[in-house]
Amino acid sequence: MSIKPAHAATLPSREAPGYRRGLVFAGLLLLLVLGLGLGVSQGAVRLSGLEVLGAVLGLHENPIVTELRLPRVLGAMLVGAALGLAGAAFQGLFRNPLADPYLMGSAAGAALGITLAVSWLGSFSGTFAQHAVFASVPASATLFGFLGAVLAVALTLLLSGGASRTHDLILAGVVVGSVLVSLTSYLMLQDADRVRAVFAYTLGSLAFVNRDGVGSLALYLLFTLPLFLLLGRTLNALNLGEETARSLGLPLGQIKLLIIGAVTLLTASAVAQAGIIGFVGLVAPHLLRRLIGGDYRYLLPASALGGAVLLVFADLLARTLIAPGELPVGILTTLLGGPFFLYLLWRGRRV
């Protein structure tokens, strides 16, 4: 029996040669550019490419482009990238392709934070980007959603005994998420308006992403993406087993805590801005792993691009399928992502 050398964790997968990875990255970039263009030009009011380009370059004013669609499409790109990157990192950390960014209770914590914001701040001025579904949710609630997600993950870490206890982390995340969902449900039952606002938030929507939200999402991605790229080899080593990683002299406790912290920042910022959007952080890394292999040096940036592409096109469909009405994008990603992921599992069992 041959033993795989420890340095194999840093080598590219034989199933994904360089030219194939290059084609995948090029295809994702082309799809992203196409999605951005369609996202800004298509909607209840269709615009030509020249109108969009003129508004973006400042040649003429068009609030539909500059104030509504462009921030929304950029927000979809950044939220999708954050969820895809976070999902790939958690799948590598927990060595489980079924792990997603919400595994440690961040989504439940964000929902509870938004519920509290509706209770405490609902009487103050300011709403989410003039969107009727979120009319009873104050704009400052994004901060509460962010803090709720961060505190939920911190509680999970505390209950599990630290980042080094991987299995306990998963169990603690499930328990924390269940308890926070129960608290949210109880608070929602106290007020019908609160039920409507928080329920809409949990369905996910990009309608209320504004320029400030785009800026904060871009900042978190600029901070975390280089960090994850540096940790690609480490995640490769972790996927060979913790004993192998320790034999390479890696400080696993500190590395796990660093990864969890970075994923929490990404997930909390995405959830705070767009609500709970499922399956993007699960499907994008899983699909790209089949295309380019499991080398996290390439899988992490590919998952960010894949998540961005998925959410940009999902939001485009959400805005155009029943125009001039609109579907919550979280419903659409679940309806499309759920069956697709089940198909991938079924196909994998047959291979």
Side-chain angles (χ1 to χ4, degrees), residues 244-297:
T244 300
R246 288 193 182 93
S247 70
L248 297 175
L250 297 176
L252 292 188
Q254 294 89 326
I255 288 174
K256 287 183 177 181
L257 189 60
L258 181 62
I259 293 173
I260 290 171
V263 167
T264 300
L265 285 177
L266 282 177
T267 306
S269 61
V271 171
Q273 295 296 330
I276 302 170
I277 299 175
F279 280 96
V280 173
L282 183 63
V283 171
H286 193 83
L287 178 60
L288 286 163
R289 186 179 289 105
R290 291 170 174 266
L291 294 176
I292 66 172
D295 189 334
Y296 280 89
R297 294 177 300 170

Side-chain angles (χ1 to χ4, degrees), residues 104 151-164 169 172-173 176 256-257 260-261 264:
M104 295 180 62
L151 291 176
V153 174
L155 182 59
T156 299
L157 285 169
L158 179 64
L159 293 177
S160 66
S164 61
L169 272 174
V176 168
K256 287 183 177 181
L257 189 60
I260 290 171
T264 300

Side-chain angles (χ1 to χ4, degrees), residues 219-252:
L219 181 63
Y220 287 122
L221 272 171
L222 287 174
F223 173 73
T224 54
L225 182 57
L227 174 64
F228 281 125
L229 293 179
L230 291 175
L231 290 173
R233 293 176 183 268
T234 301
L235 287 171
N236 286 343
L238 275 173
N239 274 265
L240 294 177
E242 294 196 5
E243 292 301 323
T244 300
R246 288 193 182 93
S247 70
L248 297 175
L250 297 176
L252 292 188

Side-chain angles (χ1 to χ4, degrees), residues 66-89:
T66 56
E67 301 299 326
L68 296 178
R69 291 186 186 172
L70 187 59
R72 176 170 182 155
V73 173
L74 291 176
M77 178 186 71
L78 295 171
V79 168
L83 293 176
L85 181 59

